Structures are given as structure tokens and as C-alpha cells.
Amino acid sequence: VTDRASGEPLPGANVIIDGTSLGAASDLSGTYIILNIPPGVYTLNVSMMGFKELIVEKVRVSIDLTTTINVILDETVLEAGETVTIVAERPLVKMDMTSSLSAVGAEEIEALPVTEVSDVLELQAGIIKTGNDLHIRGGRAGEVAYWVDGVATTDVFGGGMGVRVENSAVEELQVISGTFNAEYGQAMSGIINIITKEGRSNYNGQIKTYVGDYISNGDEFSVLKSVTPTTDAQTGSVVLQDQKEYPLKDFNPNYNAEFSLSGPVPIIGNKLTFFANGRYLFDEGHLYGREWFTPVGTTGDSSLVPMNPYKRYSTQGKLTWAANPNMKLSYNVFWNKWDQDRFYSQNYKYTPDGVPERHGTGTTHILSLNHVLSPSTFYELRVNRLYNEFKQYVFEDPLVKPDYLVWVYPDTAGQSGFQLDLDDPDDAQEFENIKAARRQFDYIVDPDGPLGYVHPDSATAPASYSFFSAGMDMDHYYRSTAYWVGKLDLSSQVNKVHQIKSGVEVRSHELILNQYTLRPKTKEGSSEAIVPFEPAIPDISTTYHSEYNRKPREFSAYVQDKIELDDIIINAGLRFDYFDANSNIPVDPSDPNIYYPYKNENIYKNYVAPRTQLSGQDLADYLATFTKYTPEERRAFMQKKVDAKTQLSPRLGIAYPITDRGVIHFSYGYFFQIPEFQYLYDNPDFKLSPQGGDAIFGNANLNPQKTIQYEIGLQQQLTNDIGIDATLFYRDVRDWVGTSPLISTPIPSVRYSQYENKDYMNVRGITVKLEKRQSNNFSARLDYSFQIIEGTYSNPNDAFNAYQAQEEPRLNLLPLDWDQNHTLNGSVVLRVSKWIFSLIGRYWSGRPYTPDIARGETVGGAALIGLRENSERLPDQKSVDLLINRQFPVGRFDFNFFINVYNVFDQRDEVNVYGDSGTARYTTQINPSTISYNSNRIGTIQDFVNQPGWYTTPRQVQVGMAIGF
């Protein structure tokens, strides 16, 4: 704070943040520091006796960054109470940013045609989206850590966001793709940090709703209505005449309704505020099938059926209690539920109910205490409880079955065939007589009876190049992920230069999984299957059933110092991590299965016992004792507990201002992450199949994966409202999860592979962000990334598949599946009077795929039978989204009418292709003109080749309104 007339600093000036109890007084050098400010947009009030009061509006505060507001006060010569109001400009260059990050505020999100947090994330430089997965700087999808309100909320089983946060609840969304501070752990690629809104002293609210529809004429999304065989009069061959239907020409509903409300709790006063948010979303989807058949093989009603519908409910409630100016307590709860009745499967296009349904629910509770100990020191204590549940099945009851009728074939006396209903006592008695007479019969499903599970062999195509006419997925999958997090952080602005932050964190996990594949029920005491088919849940000792409950534990501690000098800013830190998988691995890797010794004594005698060097009576005594052990007792001496893992991670970031409009930054760090828990605990009892075959087992003894990351970047303000941020980076990833060579077992033809730390990857690239902040009624942003992503294997299971194909272990580096070299995202927001026009444009270069050689092109013993993996590229992807919004203020209320158009030009880009043709439109291996007619074939060959799921989502238009105050 300085005096305009003299240029001297002003000590004793009061600097207050309006609407809060936060503030400070300037010291002898005119400097003031206000700590512990939640991210958001604020108004700053600066006052001092003898000077005009100064109000600075629209001051944005972001996570972990210092916002510098220097003010100049004018002496007052008029009446007291005169004020000067100025509007702060959002800085284009963040002088203390020592690594790459992007921050998006609530106002920016609201102005874009986006409906999900993931839509905002994929626009940021360095991020690649493949399906529902996000890859930051070339890493696997599970290498991203998700944080909400200062605590981790990652789903540790397979990565991904563990809590659903709606756009209207986001105060600030931050993506750290560079060398993040020591505070953040269990991530290698980046941090996605979300701060949610909280209530303030004024009431605010909004109700928003819209309805949408897919509008596209693409033949790719057609569905057969009928197929009629006719005979060609000249050739005598059968010709198929098909009639198609285009579901996207009809109404394909997309409904949305959401609300938010915040303010002080009535009666209690401004010390207790609330924020509430809720949303309902339903999307019928753009992929359709037709119910020509039911899963039990009976005739369906031929109705169109959506095959990728999605429904979601989500709510959030946040209470904030400012007990006194130095203490704040908040409680934030999230609840979400989603349902997917089916997901698209090409084979089941005309038997759509054979595809399993998916359901998920989750709750998250975050309790935070913020306590200011002095104007320069405060601590934060947070407790988080996260719970996610997922389940998948065709029928919820695993033992449900259809009713069966009996068809009796004609006998030798010429009696005609007839049908029996076993629920009828007379027919049931007749059936017993027929069986006694050894007459031939078949069981058939009662078309008027209930649906249920039928024999697994039913899920096969009745002819070549045909869709299924019966069958269903036989798997039942249930999983829950839960953990407690306790986190304590202490921050102190020791002086103007040093801000020290340290903390500890404890995480206690619980993972529960129950997965099985239904098998034919057998007669008691026999291996003979019951006829007609009855489903049965396989015994836990078999390879068809996996179940576990695991409780790993984590502890971490860190210390970091933010050093802010006039000429340089340094972020230096050190992190310690401890992880205990709290599980076991086999003592003898060649004999891992705790179930075999008592389930199949012959296998034990013939293949295991010889290695024990026991014989005669000693062996008999050993077996007699061993078979008395329970699985838990057996596990105690056949498996051993894994050791805990510890790791130290240094972090360093430097920002060097070169002018008042430019800064260079450099950062370096070691980052460690325990692999996703699915790789630690997959099939934890190491069950082997006596029928032979290869399997993959989890490994609770996996080491942390390691990344060393370097980056150097430049931020430069080019004009008063345009800035650029360019960063070069390199990532070296070691101890990536892969699979081991196949391990032989005492059982012939039975081998297995374990997950192990063996894969390697490196990424090098550049990101460029060009931003024009709001001026002259519009703002714009351009994010470009160039990356080269190479590694040994894209997926941890790829090496296992290579071993099965008898391929040599890969030693060279190949482009990984998400090696999208060029990513360009741009957005423009135009504000004219009460209108908002915004556009998002995307261009993504094609990702790699492995080509195939068409049949007939390989001849001779030395012919090449395969092409180099990921040696070709998919077509490029491009799209444009549009938002048009018109505001109508009416008193305290704002009415907004808007239109969202996604994929404005209805681009039909291919996200997958046939390996021989390089396109999704045809394959050289299937030539319809040379394939003879088969009356058992379901559908046509052309429709069988068409893959609607291999194209980008078609154009969608949403029309809605919002009422806010």
C-alpha cells in the first residue's frame, strides 16, 4: 500500500475482504499478507485515515497461489467517506507458478457448452481423453489423483474420480499437470483438485432444466426392421431385401433437472451457512438395437431398444460454521447413484436384454476444521469417509430360470409330435411315461413364462457373420471401495519470504469383491449337470468364483517451503510415503493354490508330494493331517505376509521473473504411486484350474511405480489482455505394472502369470496455452499439446497375451494406445448485452492401432504373418460445440434461455477401425457378395460389418432454461 503523492509505503492501512472476517494491516514497509482464503472471487476494501477508501472488485484467489494486489491511495481533500472503486484484472502471468497448472473458475465453466466436470478437464493442455479415461501427460488413466476440498477422493480400485461433483457446485477446478508439491501424493501424472462452493451471507440459488435430442441422419446408427429372402429369377440364388429404421430421426430424450441454493441458515444468523446442490440426468443414448429375440431364445416384440442409456441422481450438502473469526468448521456430504440398464454390444444387437445392467452408488463425507492460531499461522484438520459400490448382472437373482415345456417327437407308430407343460400334473405324469418308454424329446423354453438364465452355450451365433439369437452374460460382479482419510496440515507465513507447510495423512482402506460366473447345476454327489439347465453359484474353491476382503493402510508426511523473493520464487519439498498391502503372497510360487491339497488328493499325491521328499507312512500322515486344515489354516503356512513399502520423494520448482510481464519456471521431482488395487488383489488365493489353461494373478508385493519428471516453461504477457504459457516436459516412468513370464505349476498344462513391476514408458512433449482474458466483450483460449508417448506395453495384461502367443518379451518402445500426438482445443466466449455466445472447437490427431493383413495376402513359409503393433494411425477427430444464452432480468431474478449444440456439424469420426482396411466402414475379410445365404443367419452381413459404436457421438441439441437469484 503506497501514497500516490509521495510514492512512500503506508503503514497501518486496513485491508479487509468484504463478506468475510479476513483482513490485515500493512506493516512499516506497506506490505500486508492475508492467509487462509478459500478460492473464489472477492472484493477488497483498503482504508486509512486521511486517504480515500479504495475498493478493488473481482479479485480472484486460486489454490496454492499468491494473488498480489498492490494499491495506491489518494489523500482525501473532500468530505470523509469518499471512495474509489476499481476492477481487478485477472493476471495472465502467475509469477509464483513453479509448475504447469490450469485453473478454471465457476464463471468460466458456466459460460461454456459443458455439462460435466470431465468436459472441462479434457479442454486443458496435456490431457487426452479416451472413452471415459483421462490421461495426463501420457500416463495411464489410473495415474491421476482426484481431490475435493483438500482431501483425496480417488477410487483406488481402478483409478478414476471417486465422487461425483456437478459443474454448478464447482468454485474452482485446478489441473496440476507438472511437478506438483510435496503435499500431493499417490499420483504420477497429475492432480485434479476441485474446490466446491460454500454459502455466504446472501442467498443465492438457481433452478436449471433442459431437454435434448440426437439429431443425425447417419446410416451408421441404423437398425434393421426386417429382412426378407427372395429368389433371383435369373440366377436362382437367394437375395436378401432389408428394411432399415433410423432411430435418431425420432425423439431420443435427454433430460436434465438441477438446482443449487446457498446462504445463511435461517434464524441462526450468518455464522452458519449452507450450500445445497442436486441433479437428475437421463440420457437414452444414441445406440439402438431391436428385440427380435429374448435372452432365453423366444421371439421378442421387435421393439426398438436403447442400448446405451444412462441415468444419474446426485446431491450435495455443505454446512459451514464460522464459530469465531479464528475458527471455521465445515461438513460436506455427497451422494450419487447411477444406472445403466444395458451397454452396447454388437453381438447382442437383436437380443439386447442379454447384455448385463450396471449400477453404482457412492457417498462421501468430508469434515474440515480450519483454526487460525495467529495472523501468520493456521492449521486444517480434515476427515473424509468415501464409499463406492458397483454391481453388474443380467438378472439380479442369480438362480432365476425360465419355465420349460417338453416337445415330444413322433414315435415309430406314426403318432404326431406334441408339447407338454410340466406344471400340469397330467402332462407331468405323461412325461414320466414317455421317459420310461425311452421316447425322444427336447426341453424348450416356455415363451409365456418368466425370463431367466439359460445354458452358457446359448450365447453363440447360429451361423457365420450372424448376431446372437439367444443367451446372456453369465457373470455377476459386486465390488465396494471404502476408506477413511485423516489429514492434518499446518501452514505458517514465517516472514515475507518463507511460507512453510507441513502435514501428515493416514488412510485406512477396505475393498470387498465378489465375482462369479454362473455354472450348470449338477446332481448331488455327481458331476452330471441337471437337465434342463439350472444355474448355480460355483464354489469359492473354483476358478469361477473370486471373493476377498482386503484392508490396506497408508501413512504419509511432508514438508514444503515456498520462498518468495523479489527475483525468484522457489517451491521445495520432501514427502514420505508408507504403504502396507496387508495381504499375502505364496511361499512357493510354483505351488500357490491353497484349495488343491484337499479338493483333489490325487493331484497332490502325484505332482506336489514328490517335492516334499516325503514317502510311505510319512506321506500318509502328512496328507491325513493336511486335509484336516481349513483354508485359513492352510493359508497360514502356504502364504506369507508382504512387507510394507516406504518411499522418499523430493520436489523442486523454481519461478524466475524476467520482466514484470514474464516469468520462466523449472521444476523437477520424483513421484511414486502404489498401483491400482485391482492389480494387487486379483484372485488373491491363486486358484488354478485342473482343466488346464493360463491365468493372471494379483501381486500384493508390487512396488510403487516411479516417475521422474522435468519441465521448463515460459509465461509471457503479450498485450494488455493476451498471454501465452509454453512448457517443455519429459517424463521417465519405471516399475510400471506389467505381467511376468508364465510360471509352471505341478498340474500339467496349467500355468499362471503375476502382475509385476517391469514395464517402462517415457513421454516428451510441449504444451502451449494462449489466452485472451475478457475485454471488448469477448474472451478466448487456445490449448495445444504435442506429445510422443512410447513404452513397452499399453496395458498390464498385454505381456501376458504376448506370452500366450509365444512372442518374445518386448524390448523396444512402441507408441502406446493413447499416443495422440496433436491435441488442439479452443474456446471463444462472446458477451453482447444480455447475450452469451460460446464455442468450443477440438482437433485431435489419430491414435495408433495395429493393422492386420487381409486373408490371402500371406503366402509361403516365410511370409510375414503380422504387422508391427500400433504402426498405423486412426483418422483424426474434430468437433465444434455451441452455447447460445439469453438473459432476462426480472427484479431480483435472472431468467436464462439457452441452447446447447454438441457436435454442431455432425462429424462422423472413427474411434476404432478394422485392422485390414483402416476404416470402420468395411473389412476386406468379409465380402458379402461371396458369402452364401444361410437361413439361420440373424441380420445381414452388411449390418454385421457396420459398427455403430466405432464412431463419435452424433449431433445433440439441448434446449433449456434457468432461473437464478
Side-chain angles (χ1 to χ4, degrees):
V1 184
T2 56
D3 182 348
R4 185 182 298 277
S6 66
E8 294 296 318
L10 291 176
N14 293 315
V15 186
I16 304 297
I17 300 177
D18 282 357
T20 74
S21 59
L22 299 172
S26 58
D27 60 18
L28 292 176
S29 64
T31 301
Y32 69 94
I33 297 174
I34 306 175
L35 291 182
N36 197 23
I37 308 172
V41 179
Y42 296 93
T43 296
L44 202 64
N45 187 297
V46 185
S47 61
M48 185 174 180
M49 185 69 68
F51 291 85
K52 296 178 183 179
E53 181 181 357
L54 182 68
I55 296 175
V56 186
E57 297 179 336
K58 296 186 178 180
V59 178
R60 170 164 287 283
V61 176
S62 293
I63 308 168
D64 293 338
L65 294 177
T66 299
T67 299
T68 301
I69 300 294
N70 296 319
V71 297
I72 302 173
L73 298 185
D74 295 310
E75 294 184 8
T76 180
V77 294
L78 302 175
E79 296 180 5
E82 181 179 4
T83 62
V84 177
T85 301
I86 62 174
V87 177
E89 290 186 330
R90 182 167 59 86
L92 292 167
V93 174
K94 304 175 181 66
M95 292 295 182
D96 61 329
M97 195 177 80
T98 58
S99 65
S100 294
L101 65 84
S102 297
V104 184
E107 185 178 357
E108 297 164 87
I109 295 174
E110 189 176 356
L112 293 173
V114 292
T115 58
E116 306 291 341
V117 166
S118 60
D119 297 335
V120 183
L121 293 173
E122 72 175 36
L123 298 177
Q124 313 308 309
I127 292 184
I128 295 172
K129 185 177 182 181
T130 59
N132 294 323
D133 294 331
L134 293 176
H135 306 266
I136 296 181
R137 289 196 173 175
R140 286 174 176 165
E143 296 178 8
V144 181
Y146 296 87
W147 286 50
V148 174
D149 286 348
V151 289
T153 56
T154 307
D155 188 330
V156 293
F157 180 83
M161 190 177 297
V163 58
R164 173 72 61 177
V165 181
E166 303 296 348
N167 283 359
S168 55
V170 175
E171 180 66 53
E172 181 173 271
L173 174 63
Q174 188 184 78
V175 180
I176 309 175
S177 53
T179 310
F180 37 90
N181 288 341
E183 175 185 1
Y184 302 104
Q186 293 300 352
M188 294 201 300
S189 295
I191 305 292
I192 293 174
N193 202 350
I194 301 173
I195 300 299
T196 61
K197 296 176 180 177
E198 64 180 43
R200 297 190 179 180
S201 57
N202 297 321
Y203 288 104
N204 293 278
Q206 185 185 69
I207 298 175
K208 182 178 182 180
T209 183
Y210 63 76
V211 60
D213 184 22
Y214 292 97
I215 301 175
S216 175
N217 295 322
D219 190 63
E220 297 85 357
F221 305 112
S222 63
V223 178
L224 290 176
K225 190 173 185 178
S226 64
V227 179
T228 305
T230 60
T231 303
D232 187 283
Q234 295 181 346
T235 64
S237 60
V238 177
V239 179
L240 295 180
Q241 295 181 346
D242 61 333
Q243 183 180 0
K244 295 180 180 179
E245 189 168 355
Y246 298 87
L248 299 190
K249 291 184 178 180
D250 300 325
F251 181 52
N252 323 103
N254 175 267
Y255 300 115
N256 179 85
E258 57 186 301
F259 79 93
S260 60
L261 182 65
S262 66
V265 174
I267 302 175
I268 298 178
N270 291 339
K271 284 192 174 183
L272 183 62
T273 61
F274 73 93
F275 174 83
N277 173 267
R279 185 182 184 191
Y280 165 77
L281 172 69
F282 171 78
D283 187 355
E284 188 172 279
H286 67 283
L287 299 174
Y288 287 80
R290 187 178 296 282
E291 193 180 17
W292 276 346
F293 301 95
T294 68
V296 298
T298 57
T299 303
D301 61 9
S302 296
S303 61
L304 281 174
V305 177
M307 293 196 69
N308 64 328
Y310 179 76
K311 181 169 57 178
R312 185 174 84 233
Y313 310 85
S314 63
T315 59
Q316 178 197 355
K318 188 174 186 179
L319 287 173
T320 305
W321 179 41
N324 56 57
N326 296 325
M327 184 177 293
K328 183 173 73 173
L329 183 68
S330 69
Y331 169 64
N332 200 359
V333 59
F334 300 85
W335 175 85
N336 58 78
K337 181 180 186 297
W338 62 270
D339 302 289
Q340 195 173 13
D341 291 339
R342 59 186 68 82
F343 57 92
Y344 186 79
S345 173
Q346 179 79 349
N347 288 330
Y348 287 98
K349 187 174 181 177
Y350 297 105
T351 316
D353 288 333
V355 177
E357 54 188 72
R358 297 169 171 175
H359 306 278
T361 57
T363 56
T364 301
H365 304 263
I366 302 174
L367 183 65
S368 303
L369 172 65
N370 186 294
H371 187 196
V372 177
L373 302 176
S374 72
S376 61
T377 304
F378 68 95
Y379 71 85
E380 293 176 283
L381 176 64
R382 298 182 179 95
V383 178
N384 174 29
R385 166 65 174 176
L386 182 144
Y387 176 82
N388 271 334
E389 182 181 81
F390 173 78
K391 51 189 177 182
Q392 175 178 307
Y393 44 72
V394 173
F395 301 110
E396 186 172 9
D397 181 358
L399 302 182
V400 65
K401 59 180 181 177
D403 291 338
Y404 287 91
L405 304 174
V406 173
W407 174 256
V408 183
Y409 290 96
D411 62 10
T412 55
Q415 181 181 357
S416 61
F418 57 92
Q419 183 173 285
L420 297 175
D421 183 354
L422 299 183
D423 290 332
D424 183 287
D426 293 335
D427 281 3
Q429 182 57 52
E430 178 68 15
F431 182 48
E432 294 300 323
N433 297 336
I434 288 169
K435 287 195 293 184
R438 299 181 179 274
R439 290 187 58 184
Q440 292 187 347
F441 60 89
D442 274 336
Y443 292 99
I444 59 175
V445 174
D446 184 354
D448 299 321
L451 297 179
Y453 286 103
V454 294
H455 199 282
D457 293 345
S458 302
T460 56
S464 59
Y465 313 116
S466 171
F467 298 93
F468 288 177
S469 60
M472 70 281 288
D473 188 287
M474 304 297 287
D475 290 335
H476 274 241
Y477 185 93
Y478 305 88
R479 174 178 66 83
S480 67
T481 305
Y483 55 78
W484 286 95
V485 176
K487 189 171 186 286
L488 176 64
D489 301 288
L490 177 67
S491 301
S492 180
Q493 189 75 44
V494 179
N495 51 44
K496 182 182 176 181
V497 174
H498 293 276
Q499 185 187 54
I500 304 293
K501 188 172 184 180
S502 60
V504 295
E505 181 184 79
V506 177
R507 301 187 194 183
S508 177
H509 303 269
E510 182 174 22
L511 282 83
I512 300 175
L513 181 138
N514 186 16
Q515 177 183 13
Y516 52 84
T517 301
L518 296 174
R519 304 294 297 165
K521 187 176 181 179
T522 58
K523 296 179 181 179
E524 187 173 354
S526 169
S527 60
E528 182 182 354
I530 293 176
V531 180
F533 172 81
E534 292 185 27
I537 299 174
D539 189 87
I540 190 63
S541 65
T542 69
T543 57
Y544 301 107
H545 194 160
S546 180
E547 185 175 10
Y548 65 74
N549 184 330
R550 291 294 183 269
K551 298 179 180 181
R553 300 179 290 258
E554 295 181 65
F555 171 80
S556 62
Y558 74 93
V559 60
Q560 62 191 39
D561 186 7
K562 184 177 184 180
I563 305 168
E564 296 185 85
L565 302 170
D566 292 336
D567 297 326
I568 193 170
I569 296 94
I570 300 173
N571 266 311
L574 183 65
R575 180 180 179 87
F576 169 79
D577 284 286
Y578 168 94
F579 176 77
D580 180 7
N582 198 17
S583 190
N584 303 316
I585 57 174
V587 172
D588 182 354
S590 66
D591 179 22
N593 193 338
I594 64 171
Y595 288 100
Y596 273 131
Y598 80 104
K599 279 293 180 183
N600 193 327
E601 193 169 309
N602 288 329
I603 290 179
Y604 190 84
K605 288 180 179 179
N606 294 332
Y607 300 104
V608 181
R611 297 183 312 135
T612 65
Q613 298 180 350
L614 297 177
S615 61
Q617 188 59 43
D618 291 337
L619 175 58
D621 293 342
Y622 177 79
L623 288 172
T625 302
F626 196 90
T627 53
K628 295 178 182 178
Y629 292 149
T630 66
E632 288 73 22
E633 292 170 329
R634 242 176 248 105
R635 186 178 290 109
F637 58 85
M638 292 187 68
Q639 296 182 0
K640 61 182 179 181
K641 196 173 185 299
V642 298
D643 296 329
K645 313 296 181 184
T646 60
Q647 200 68 56
L648 282 174
S649 311
R651 314 280 172 84
L652 176 66
I654 299 172
Y656 180 71
I658 50 178
T659 68
D660 61 341
R661 287 190 165 196
V663 60
I664 294 174
H665 79 264
F666 166 79
S667 61
Y668 162 85
Y670 276 72
F671 303 90
F672 296 89
Q673 181 183 4
I674 295 297
E676 297 99 295
F677 288 179
Q678 60 178 319
Y679 302 125
L680 273 67
Y681 304 121
D682 187 23
N683 197 349
D685 287 329
F686 301 92
K687 289 176 287 191
L688 302 171
S689 172
Q691 286 77 32
D694 300 331
I696 305 178
F697 294 152
N699 183 0
N701 201 35
L702 285 172
N703 292 316
Q705 303 169 110
K706 179 176 70 174
T707 293
I708 304 175
Q709 183 167 202
Y710 317 82
E711 71 170 44
I712 184 170
L714 166 69
Q715 292 181 79
Q716 181 66 51
Q717 186 169 340
L718 303 177
T719 68
N720 287 335
D721 54 9
I722 298 177
I724 189 171
D725 182 347
T727 301
L728 286 165
F729 66 89
Y730 175 80
R731 295 183 62 224
D732 184 273
V733 182
R734 299 175 185 270
D735 292 336
W736 235 15
V737 175
T739 42
S740 70
L742 293 169
I743 301 170
S744 299
T745 70
I747 308 171
S749 302
V750 175
R751 301 174 300 176
Y752 73 93
S753 176
Q754 259 192 301
Y755 292 113
E756 65 177 15
N757 300 98
K758 63 175 295 183
D759 285 351
Y760 171 81
M761 184 267 286
N762 67 57
V763 186
R764 51 201 183 275
I766 182 172
T767 61
V768 179
K769 294 182 283 187
L770 186 66
E771 181 180 7
K772 180 191 179 301
R773 65 186 171 197
Q774 185 73 29
S775 64
N776 300 322
N777 296 326
F778 85 97
S779 60
R781 177 169 170 164
L782 196 66
D783 288 67
Y784 170 74
S785 305
F786 172 77
Q787 301 180 85
I788 297 175
I789 307 167
E790 295 180 324
T792 49
Y793 294 101
S794 299
N795 188 289
N797 295 345
D798 287 349
F800 172 76
N801 297 330
Y803 293 134
Q804 285 194 309
Q806 298 183 344
E807 297 177 3
E808 290 292 325
R810 184 173 299 158
L811 301 177
N812 59 324
L813 301 182
L814 296 178
L816 299 184
D817 292 347
W818 53 92
D819 179 33
Q820 185 173 289
N821 294 151
H822 302 279
T823 305
L824 181 65
N825 300 309
S827 62
V828 177
V829 179
L830 176 64
R831 302 174 187 266
V832 181
S833 184
K834 301 299 181 181
W835 290 88
I836 297 178
F837 302 89
S838 67
L839 279 172
I840 293 175
R842 304 177 183 84
Y843 170 80
W844 302 342
S845 63
R847 293 188 284 270
Y849 74 93
T850 303
D852 293 333
I853 296 177
R855 296 176 185 174
E857 293 187 12
T858 55
V859 293
L864 180 67
I865 60 173
L867 295 176
R868 186 170 179 260
E869 186 172 343
N870 283 350
S871 58
E872 290 292 339
R873 293 277 169 172
L874 296 169
D876 299 342
Q877 295 184 40
K878 48 207 170 292
S879 66
V880 174
D881 300 337
L882 169 69
L883 165 67
I884 302 175
N885 184 90
R886 177 64 165 92
Q887 186 182 48
F888 295 92
V890 180
R892 284 195 60 199
F893 294 91
D894 286 327
F895 289 81
N896 289 270
F897 296 89
F898 62 89
I899 298 176
N900 285 325
V901 185
Y902 299 101
N903 194 1
V904 173
F905 301 107
D906 198 22
Q907 292 288 146
R908 196 79 71 251
D909 294 327
E910 296 160 327
V911 297
N912 203 351
V913 296
Y914 286 104
D916 59 329
S917 66
T919 177
R921 303 185 183 281
Y922 69 90
T923 170
T924 59
Q925 298 185 13
I926 301 178
N927 185 352
S929 63
T930 62
I931 299 174
S932 59
Y933 167 73
N934 188 327
S935 60
N936 293 323
R937 182 175 294 123
I938 308 302
T940 65
I941 295 174
Q942 291 87 344
D943 193 44
F944 181 81
V945 171
N946 179 47
Q947 297 277 355
W950 288 5
Y951 297 91
T952 52
T953 304
R955 181 195 297 118
Q956 185 186 43
V957 178
Q958 298 171 350
V959 180
M961 67 173 294
I963 305 174
F965 64 91

